[in-house]
Amino acid sequence: MIKINQIKLPVTHSDEALKKKIIKMLKLNAKTGFTYRILKKSLDARKKPELFYTYSVAVELDDTKNSEEAIVKRAASSSVLIYKEKEYRIPAHGNISLDRRPVIAGAGPAGLFCAYILAEAGFRPIVIERGSRVEKRTCDVQKFWESGILNPKSNVQFGEGGAGTFSDGKLSLCYEVGGDLPSLIGEQFAQELMDYTDGIYLEFGADPHVEGVYDGEEIKEIRKNAIHAGLKLVDCPIRHLGTEKAQQLYLAIQNYLADNGVEMLFSTECENIILENEECKGVFIKGPKDEEAHAVYADTVVIGTGRRGADWLEKICAEHHIAHKPGTVDIGVRVECRNEVMEKVNKVLYESKLIGYPKPWKNKVRTFCQNPGGFVAQENYDNDLAVVNGHSFKEKKSPNTNLAILVSHNFTEPFNQPIAYAQKVGELTNMLGAGHIMVQRYGDILDGKRTWQKELAQSNVKPTLKDAVAGDITAAMPYRAMTNIIEFIKMLDMVVPGFAANETLLYSPELKFYSNKVKMDENLDTNIRGLHCLGDSSGWTRGLMMASVMGVLMGRKLAEKEGC
């Protein structure tokens, strides 16, 4: 079969119009017989009052003499490709009976989707979560945003849905974005799992509209400018949940799991694993009413403690000799400019995923988490570390666009504490900002001077994070990282003219902690029997969608091996 993406037609179109569009895109003779099936259909309302449907279709030719490869080549379009249908199905149960229920530590995307697949297969796993239920967590986070009072047990970092529940709420629908899992399981299989996982999100209320599927002259111009600047533009459709909608979606998943026998223990900490003869036999947990930890035995333990649990998992790996290697940490800034500067990129791509390797060190630098009309936000870890992030709501909008610029740091022997290194950078920045996020104008950085509050008040770009303290972020940022950021901004200005304006704001610190990468095979088995690690805490994923995909795969692997 042949797959055609990004077929765009007015919402009032006829079936015949869709058929003619297929003939045109495949450059077929009008008499050529074929059948087609709609794979995806989304509404494009970006040019109101004009509304369009965007389709992905699978086409099968009646005449097998016509070579599909030749037709795809003749079409000469990135939207036309060979399609090998492989429907993902919940696997049949294994033939080994479980004596004890599976235990999942962490109720972020990886843990929730693993629990979902297991529940669909008839299992009743126990999910342990350090933070609160999403509904209580929403109240606690709102209180922090309004008053600055942090609940260390229930906040942006901890609780049901993971850190992504209060981020911009974007699902990246391309295997090239979201971490290294595709290198472990295969790119094509990763994309198939991603499509399946996306379907689960849609079932629970995700917006069917997909951003970033524009295919016209403007995107060609953006790509040409990116190439000229020495940047790689990654094509990636985005499904935007929205910060507020993500909370509703994860609540719906929670209710489904509860209705299907999944036991969820909130405000309960997983303190350690139980190891006997290099086999994991369960976990030690401590609930809100427990004076000391007690054992919960299980035949299978899945750890999906998220980005915030990366340091805990690192200690567990060291203590129990779980095979792993030092991971990557990203150190960077949150950049904010006017929507007018980002107008074309916001309209065409919604989120521009650009990667560069600036001179002189050629470290990997990338954009991340772009929020058109979004808001810069402060997040606090339980060790009082304040970091910056960005939010993007479905309804509430600002006059600014914000995005992260992140510099990847990979360390070599003898250093093996990348997370601690990034935390020290953040602590130093917090010290200079008296516990607040610091903000500085790009032009002041180039001039070698700090930014003053009165200068921000006179600028075209008004900070959306009102508590940010004007100052000098370069006093805390490592020289190598700061130089990479400045050079990358210069490169990005060739793609988005005006991005490197003097009034562009840089907030610091933006830190992404990734766990030391746990060594595992394509079945997600570690060197400890009965122990599995998922999501961002495993070091293999970065972000909502890929973590969810890994959870789906883990649920499938367990269901294949075990019986109910």
Side-chain angles (χ1 to χ4, degrees), residues 175 180-193 522:
Y175 74 86
D180 299 326
L181 182 63
S183 68
L184 183 67
I185 65 174
E187 294 174 354
Q188 182 176 337
F189 184 44
Q191 187 62 54
E192 290 167 359
L193 279 173
E522 66 274 10

Side-chain angles (χ1 to χ4, degrees), residues 21 48 116 163 217 265 299 315 365 431 440 489:
K21 190 75 171 181
K48 292 180 179 178
Y116 171 83
E217 291 302 318
L265 305 177
D299 293 322
K315 294 174 184 176
V365 186
M431 183 190 300
Q440 188 174 13
I489 289 175

Side-chain angles (χ1 to χ4, degrees), residues 324-345:
H324 65 286
K325 61 181 181 179
T328 300
V329 292
D330 288 339
I331 299 173
V333 295
R334 174 70 47 170
V335 182
E336 187 170 44
C337 61
R338 293 280 302 187
N339 285 333
E340 292 87 345
V341 173
M342 300 291 293
E343 186 175 13
K344 181 184 289 186
V345 169

Side-chain angles (χ1 to χ4, degrees), residues 6 170-178 191 194 210-214 219 223 233-239 348-354 545-546:
Q6 300 171 1
K170 296 197 194 83
L171 303 177
S172 299
L173 304 180
C174 170
Y175 74 86
E176 291 184 272
V177 176
Q191 187 62 54
M194 187 169 284
V210 176
E211 302 281 0
V213 293
Y214 183 87
I219 194 171
R223 190 181 306 282
L233 177 64
V234 179
D235 289 317
C236 184
I238 298 289
R239 190 179 304 286
V348 175
L349 297 173
Y350 193 77
E351 175 157 3
S352 55
K353 295 185 180 293
L354 291 156
M545 178 52 86
M546 197 65 81

Side-chain angles (χ1 to χ4, degrees), residues 30-50:
K31 295 182 179 180
T32 302
F34 65 89
T35 57
Y36 69 89
R37 179 164 53 88
I38 296 172
L39 300 174
K40 281 187 179 181
K41 177 182 179 181
S42 59
L43 179 66
D44 186 344
R46 288 175 293 183
K47 296 183 178 180
K48 292 180 179 178
E50 296 179 84

